Amino acid sequence: MTDIWLRTGEATVLAAEGQATDAMPEVVVGSIRGPVGQAFASMMGQVKGHTRMFVVRDLNQAVKPPTMMTTKVTIKSMAYAELLGGVVQAAMGDAIVDCLAEDILPRDQVDDLCMIITVWLDPRCAEDENLDRKDLYRTNYEATKLAIARAMKGEPTVEELIANRKTVKHYALDGVIDY
């Protein structure tokens, strides 16, 4: 049995110039016997426009710990669904396996843990004839790995948040508030 009850992490990795491939996953990691496991199991049903699926690396290659992903944006086209269930899902799957390989996730607890990841995939990606799928993979791989690492390390710490309270500001506050 695991002592990991509920941990959260998030990360943002920005796209290459001219791309809309920013990745901003939010991760919840926890025991299958706790609130994360309950939420995981309840996600087996579908919600219109917000498909939920296991993270797999490829056919017959579901990751461990079992991970459910869903999009933060309403799916409105097959092109969007194919990117989400293709490049994005594969990048996340690779990141999870690498987290195991690098001991970011505890290998000995994969059968006791589960994860839920909410995914940002900009709707413009599905419409972009010049979409750089390599950059879409890169941003989602890096951001997923970083979000999981932050969850497992408890980052940012309370001390970090307090220390940078007047130096880090949400981008939407530019011109709204000055510190």
Side-chain angles (χ1 to χ4, degrees):
M1 180 177 262
T2 181
D3 290 334
I4 301 170
W5 197 247
L6 187 143
R7 296 190 186 174
T8 63
E10 61 78 36
T12 298
V13 173
L14 299 176
E17 185 67 33
Q19 293 292 311
T21 56
D22 295 343
M24 301 173 215
E26 295 159 350
V27 177
V28 179
V29 181
S31 170
I32 60 171
R33 293 171 181 82
V36 179
Q38 178 70 35
F40 182 93
S42 72
M43 288 181 73
M44 291 302 292
Q46 294 298 322
V47 175
K48 185 178 179 179
H50 293 271
T51 298
R52 300 154 170 187
M53 62 186 98
F54 283 111
V55 175
V56 300
R57 294 189 55 251
D58 195 9
L59 300 176
N60 303 310
Q61 286 288 301
V63 299
K64 289 185 180 252
T67 304
M68 189 74 70
M69 63 182 274
T70 189
T71 180
K72 299 176 191 180
V73 173
T74 303
I75 298 173
K76 295 183 179 178
S77 71
M78 277 307 296
Y80 187 96
E82 288 172 3
L83 287 173
L84 181 70
V87 176
V88 173
Q89 182 184 47
M92 292 170 51
D94 287 350
I96 292 165
V97 171
D98 287 350
C99 283
L100 288 167
E102 296 172 25
D103 294 320
I104 295 167
L105 286 167
R107 294 183 206 187
D108 63 339
Q109 296 181 44
V110 295
D111 292 327
D112 296 316
L113 295 173
C114 61
M115 295 193 297
I116 300 168
I117 304 177
T118 57
V119 181
W120 166 254
L121 175 59
D122 193 311
R124 293 175 292 178
C125 289
E127 311 293 324
D128 186 353
E129 294 176 8
N130 297 311
L131 178 69
D132 184 343
R133 291 174 182 258
K134 287 182 181 180
D135 197 56
L136 183 62
Y137 176 93
R138 176 192 66 82
T139 58
N140 280 279
Y141 172 87
E142 290 177 10
T144 299
K145 193 172 173 186
L146 183 56
I148 292 169
R150 287 178 173 162
M152 298 308 291
K153 294 176 187 174
E155 295 176 348
T157 66
V158 170
E159 291 76 20
E160 288 175 277
L161 290 169
I162 292 169
N164 71 31
R165 168 62 180 90
K166 296 292 183 171
T167 58
V168 175
K169 170 173 64 174
H170 193 283
Y171 73 88
L173 295 178
D174 285 345
V176 174
I177 190 169
D178 291 318
Y179 295 146

